């Protein structure tokens, strides 16, 4: 099966109907920045973008994403320049263990692309279903807010 991942066309061998995108990314393509958490579409650790929309790859069958634009955390930066959300997460030292972070960042990046001037409540709502077992929610919120401000200054 041909997939378009981070602007490149790639081939994955196991395109069976039951194969989920997460496992093709991690096991076949080595894109391990996308994490496995619950495997049930609940925690958000596996979030990628499909055509710019934040999507949980653990419950997304490969068969549904052939020919779609898939972006993972490895393809979020523009060359050497990190996405403003990535930079803000570094600047504010957001991660603790880091496991949930690519999902948080991918969710926030898709959200800010749709809503570049969010209020605090909108940020809270947008990230409410991305769980962080380390409880970094205050810093995650602050980083998304900072990224929005920086994106609007550019
Ligand atoms: S691993 Fe996909 S939502 Fe938890
Ligand atoms: S930083 Fe550890 S789960 Fe979020």
């Amino acid at each position: 099966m041909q997939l378009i991942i981070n602007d490149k066309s790639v081939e994955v061998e196991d395109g069976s109907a039951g194969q989920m995108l997460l496992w093709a990314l991690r096991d076949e393509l080595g894109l391990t920045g996308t994490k496995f958490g619950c495997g049930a579409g609940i925690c958000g650790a596996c979030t990628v973008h499909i055509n710019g929309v934040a999507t949980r790859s653990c419950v997304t069958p490969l068969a549904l994403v052939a020919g779609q634009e898939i972006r993972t955390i490895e393809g979020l930066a523009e060359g050497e320049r990190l996405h403003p959300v990535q930079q803000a997460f570094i600047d504010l030292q957001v991660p603790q263990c880091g496991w949930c972070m690519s999902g948080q960042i991918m969710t926030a990046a898709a959200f800010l692309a749709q809503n570049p001037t969010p209020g605090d409540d909108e940020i809270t709502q947008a990230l409410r279903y991305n769980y962080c077992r380390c409880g970094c929610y205050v810093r995650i919120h602050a980083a998304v807010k900072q990224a929005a401000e920086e994106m609007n200054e550019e």
Side-chain angles (χ1 to χ4, degrees):
M1 179 180 289
Q2 291 292 131
L3 298 177
I4 305 167
I5 301 179
N6 300 333
D7 304 316
K8 292 185 187 139
S9 181
V10 298
E11 192 164 325
V12 293
E13 287 184 9
D14 185 358
S16 60
Q19 167 81 326
M20 295 298 163
L21 173 60
L22 174 63
W23 302 114
L25 294 174
R26 289 184 58 86
D27 293 347
E28 292 195 48
L29 301 170
L31 295 170
T32 54
T34 303
K35 302 303 186 196
F36 170 64
C38 64
I42 296 168
C43 74
C46 65
T47 302
V48 299
H49 296 173
I50 309 290
N51 299 326
V53 177
T55 303
R56 297 184 174 204
S57 61
C58 72
V59 289
T60 300
L62 275 179
L64 291 183
V65 296
Q68 310 296 309
E69 295 282 342
I70 302 164
R71 190 164 303 281
T72 70
I73 190 80
E74 290 89 348
L76 193 60
E78 287 183 21
E80 296 295 306
R81 185 169 182 266
L82 293 177
H83 187 284
V85 175
Q86 291 175 300
Q87 190 61 58
F89 272 60
I90 292 170
D91 292 347
L92 298 186
Q93 298 280 293
V94 175
Q96 191 164 316
C97 81
W99 195 258
C100 72
M101 286 294 152
S102 64
Q104 305 279 1
I105 289 168
M106 295 305 282
T107 300
F111 165 62
L112 292 180
Q114 294 297 315
N115 184 354
T117 56
D120 283 324
D121 287 349
E122 291 172 306
I123 294 172
T124 300
Q125 288 297 312
L127 276 294
R128 71 191 185 285
Y129 293 126
N130 280 76
Y131 300 137
C132 176
R133 295 288 298 268
C134 299
C136 301
Y137 296 111
V138 172
R139 292 200 301 277
I140 292 167
H141 187 107
V144 175
K145 195 167 176 176
Q146 176 177 303
E149 289 165 1
E150 288 178 3
M151 290 166 77
N152 283 304
E153 282 172 11
E154 288 176 1

